[in-house]
Each structure stands twice: as C-alpha cells, then as structure tokens.
Amino acid sequence: MNCMTGMSCIIRKPALEEVGGMKAFTQYIAEDFFIAQELTKRGWQLKLSSYYAWQNPGMSTLSNYHTRMVRWMRLRYTQIPLIIILEPLSECMVVGALASWAVHVMFRWNPYIFYPVHVFTWCATDYILLRTMQNGPLPFSIFAYLKAWLFRECTTILLMVRAHTNYTISWGSRRYRLHMGGLAEEINGDVKRCGLFSM
C-alpha cells in the first residue's frame, strides 16, 4: 500500500516527526499521499484496518459529486502525470470497448454481444463487492444501485476531460493553482501563496 486516506488515518507521532511534521507538507493539498510516500521511503509500514471509517459527504448533490471528482482527478494528474494515460484504462466502458475490438480482431467474436456481457459482469462484480463490504443488505434498492452505477460509469470519461480544462481547484473558500509534482499555489487576488495550511 503506497497511500492512505488523510481523513481516516492515524500516524504515529515519531513517524510524522521523522518526515518533518505537517509543516513539511504544507505546499501540497494531497498531503496524505506525500506523507505516505516519505514514510514508506524511510521504512515505515502502512496498514489497513478492518474497521469502517464513516465519511460524512456533506451536501450530496450531483454537482458537488462531479466537482469533488474533478478536483481529485486534477490532483492525481499533477502528482503522477502517467495516470493521465493509465486512468482511462481502468474504466469499465473504455476497457469494454477496447476488449470488444480486441476479441473481434483476434477471434472474430461479435463485439455487440461481448460488450454488454462485459458491462453486466463488471456491474455485477461491483454489486457483489459492495454487498460484501456492507456485510449485509444495502440501504437502497438494486434499481437505485443500477441507476447510480450507470451514471457514474457513463460520466467518468467526461469528468476526466473536464479535469484537463484547467488546473485550478477550490478547497473550502480558497482557490489554488496546481503545478506538476502536486504543488499547490493559493490564488488570492493579486497575491499568490504556496501552501494549504498557514503555520
């Protein structure tokens, strides 16, 4: 494991002090990623707990969801630019289209049959995984799951394109310009400051 979720992690104080404390990471918005990188470089281990970490999503609207996804995509793209190429290849619809073309060329299989079978299998696997993680019945109907799943899968590529339109994000009431390497520069009128936190 090479990363951790900042809002759901506990870091030993000696480990954090060894990498320079929080002050050493104030120029990043995704400081959890960079702290994890430094900890693993120094031999510290990251462990995943089996306990649930409840996330309070705040206002759950489609617009807020899309804004949050675009923000995290922009952060990922500036942290690890290779993801710009690889991330679309992890999406159901893209993989399905490429696989359908490949099996048609290699085996002369009908892509119009292969593609829906691929999408159904991916959707069913996600549902089984969600049920397993929930450890019981889901708090919504299978119809609601299908609508949400299809919406997410069909809009993700559009969000990836939107993420490339500019590398400015909002975080709380502040705006930041992202630079390669994951650095964030606060945009404050004519004044620009590096860093998310004031120390």
Side-chain angles (χ1 to χ4, degrees), residues 92 121-131 145 149 153:
C92 173
T121 305
W122 195 300
C123 180
T125 305
D126 281 351
Y127 184 77
I128 292 166
L129 179 62
L130 188 59
R131 285 286 306 255
Y145 165 79
W149 187 89
E153 295 300 327

Side-chain angles (χ1 to χ4, degrees), residues 59-73:
M59 298 206 28
S60 297
T61 66
L62 287 178
S63 174
N64 287 344
Y65 168 76
H66 279 176
T67 300
R68 188 171 67 245
M69 292 300 103
V70 167
R71 179 177 66 226
W72 288 116
M73 285 174 187

Side-chain angles (χ1 to χ4, degrees), residues 90-193:
S90 69
E91 295 298 325
C92 173
M93 302 303 180
V94 174
V95 171
L98 292 173
S100 296
W101 172 79
V103 297
H104 175 69
V105 169
M106 292 170 39
F107 307 116
R108 295 290 176 223
W109 292 1
N110 186 334
Y112 299 108
I113 294 173
F114 184 89
Y115 189 78
V117 169
H118 160 83
V119 170
F120 171 79
T121 305
W122 195 300
C123 180
T125 305
D126 281 351
Y127 184 77
I128 292 166
L129 179 62
L130 188 59
R131 285 286 306 255
T132 302
M133 291 173 59
Q134 182 72 18
N135 199 21
L138 299 175
F140 43 79
S141 70
I142 194 162
F143 180 69
Y145 165 79
L146 288 172
K147 280 194 325 187
W149 187 89
L150 279 170
F151 181 80
R152 188 261 175 220
E153 295 300 327
C154 291
T155 59
T156 299
I157 297 300
L158 298 174
L159 295 180
M160 288 178 183
V161 171
R162 185 175 153 208
H164 291 295
T165 58
N166 71 58
Y167 285 92
T168 301
I169 63 169
S170 295
W171 192 272
S173 61
R174 297 179 179 182
R175 290 184 53 74
Y176 297 89
R177 182 169 293 111
L178 299 174
H179 300 282
M180 286 300 156
L183 296 173
E185 178 183 25
E186 185 176 353
I187 304 167
N188 187 6
D190 295 332
V191 179
K192 296 175 185 169
R193 275 187 314 197

Side-chain angles (χ1 to χ4, degrees), residues 13-74:
K13 188 175 180 193
L16 188 57
E17 288 172 347
E18 186 179 318
V19 296
M22 288 298 292
K23 192 170 185 177
F25 300 92
T26 58
Q27 70 272 30
Y28 304 111
I29 288 185
E31 74 288 343
D32 49 357
F33 173 80
F34 294 100
I35 291 170
Q37 277 190 326
E38 286 303 313
L39 289 172
T40 53
K41 280 182 196 173
R42 295 168 190 254
W44 289 93
Q45 292 183 341
L46 303 175
K47 295 194 176 183
L48 187 63
S49 170
S50 60
Y51 292 105
Y52 290 109
W54 292 101
Q55 181 177 352
N56 180 0
M59 298 206 28
S60 297
T61 66
L62 287 178
S63 174
N64 287 344
Y65 168 76
H66 279 176
T67 300
R68 188 171 67 245
M69 292 300 103
V70 167
R71 179 177 66 226
W72 288 116
M73 285 174 187
R74 287 176 179 159

